[in-house]
């Protein structure tokens, strides 16, 4: 993958104003802290993160990846939750679907689904990505496992029609399957670059995978929705 491609991906949103609007809409969810949950439930919650290299922690020290940083963020906020890293570098939505059975064999209480980046890098038909993600979310919904869907923006050089299909895909699937949503995992990194930071302030040398500082921005971005996911485990009825 080229350095130029990675920068285009990081700039996938049209404007910082749009990102701010999305954050306002998606993060305005009431959440419960561990203190609000029955103690035995809070201690026993397992959340599995099903994803690709961005979840797996490609190119980073073990403690600097998304799952360890998110675990530390949640622990610091009083949540007694065990995060499981089910990220596989290079995985597509089809790959995530193909390993869903053995991922669920560990009996997670909730799941973060962060797939689609490699579909975009390969220019796959958005309809295929939609079908694969729909199958994953439908399975989780049928088994009563709360889900958080995390999306990615299409690169600008793919054209407006492709971008529009991808932009609609994640919110429509989340609504159809009662999943929580973060529309764009990389939004805070794109914001920083739009504000004047160099790409290497938040990305590794490939301009595709975040560096530790970039991961920290992602954690702060998705963290409130992960807390909302934990709250759904604590009170699945009516949340």
């Amino acid at each position: 993958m080229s350095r130029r491609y990675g920068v285009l991906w990081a700039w996938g949103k049209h404007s910082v104003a749009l990102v701010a609007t999305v954050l306002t809409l998606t993060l305005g969810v009431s959440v419960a802290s561990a203190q609000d949950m029955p103690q035995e439930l809070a201690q026993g919650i397992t959340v599995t993160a099903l994803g690709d290299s961005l979840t797996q922690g490609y190119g980073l020290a073990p403690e600097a990846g998304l799952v360890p940083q998110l675990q530390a963020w949640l622990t610091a906020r009083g949540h007694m939750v065990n995060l499981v890293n089910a990220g596989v570098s290079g995985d597509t939505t089809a790959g995530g679907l193909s390993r869903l059975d053995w991922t669920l064999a560990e009996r997670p209480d909730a799941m973060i689904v962060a797939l689609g980046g490699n579909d975009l890098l390969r220019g796959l038909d958005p309809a295929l990505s939609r079908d694969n993600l729909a199958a994953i979310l439908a399975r989780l919904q049928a088994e009563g496992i709360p889900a958080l869907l995390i999306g990615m923006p299409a690169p600008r050089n793919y054209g407006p029609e492709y971008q529009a299909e991808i932009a609609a895909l994640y919110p429509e699937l989340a609504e159809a399957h009662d999943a929580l949503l973060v529309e764009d995992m990389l939004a805070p990194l794109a914001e920083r670059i739009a504000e004047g930071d160099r790409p290497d302030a938040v990305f590794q040398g490939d301009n595709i995978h975040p560096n530790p500082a970039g991961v920290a921005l992602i954690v702060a971005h998705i963290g409130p929705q992960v807390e909302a996911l934990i709250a759904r485990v604590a009170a699945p009825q009516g949340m």
Side-chain angles (χ1 to χ4, degrees):
M1 302 172 192
S2 70
R3 293 171 63 86
R4 178 175 176 273
Y5 190 95
V7 174
L8 285 170
W9 187 18
W11 278 72
K13 287 295 181 184
H14 294 294
S15 67
V16 175
L18 177 59
V19 172
T21 301
V22 171
L23 288 175
T24 300
L25 292 174
T26 59
L27 299 186
V29 180
S30 61
V31 296
S33 69
Q35 289 80 5
D36 298 323
M37 304 177 191
Q39 191 69 6
E40 66 277 7
L41 180 58
Q43 290 177 337
I45 291 177
T46 296
V47 178
T48 295
L50 179 68
D52 50 33
S53 58
L54 299 178
T55 300
Q56 182 264 332
Y58 175 87
L60 299 172
E63 69 278 4
L66 178 64
V67 171
Q69 286 206 43
L70 180 58
Q71 177 77 71
W73 188 90
L74 290 168
T75 299
R77 291 173 65 84
H79 298 286
M80 304 179 73
V81 177
N82 176 45
L83 291 183
V84 176
N85 191 339
V88 172
S89 205
D91 220 359
T92 60
T93 56
L97 177 60
S98 71
R99 58 192 176 90
L100 186 59
D101 281 342
W102 65 259
T103 303
L104 290 177
E106 299 299 320
R107 303 182 63 83
D109 297 298
M111 185 170 288
I112 300 168
V113 180
L115 290 163
N118 287 305
D119 296 45
L120 293 172
L121 290 175
R122 299 180 188 187
L124 299 182
D125 184 346
L128 296 176
S129 303
R130 179 185 289 271
D131 288 346
N132 292 329
L133 289 171
I136 292 170
L137 293 174
R139 173 76 177 278
L140 298 177
Q141 188 175 27
E143 297 198 14
I145 299 172
L148 167 60
L149 180 62
I150 298 181
M152 299 290 296
R156 290 187 297 177
N157 61 335
Y158 278 20
E161 184 176 340
Y162 191 96
Q163 283 185 288
E165 286 189 70
I166 296 299
L169 186 156
Y170 289 98
E172 289 174 1
L173 287 175
E175 182 177 4
H177 298 283
D178 193 28
L180 293 166
L181 175 68
V182 172
E183 290 194 39
D184 179 1
M185 176 187 277
L186 299 180
L189 282 67
E191 279 190 65
R192 288 287 295 271
I193 295 172
E195 291 168 357
D197 279 0
R198 290 167 50 91
D200 61 10
V202 292
F203 283 99
Q204 297 179 45
D206 60 8
N207 287 324
I208 293 174
H209 295 93
N211 62 23
V215 173
L217 291 174
I218 292 172
V219 167
H221 175 49
I222 71 173
Q225 289 294 69
V226 178
E227 289 186 303
L229 182 67
I230 294 167
R232 286 194 171 190
V233 176
Q237 301 300 319
M239 288 296 298

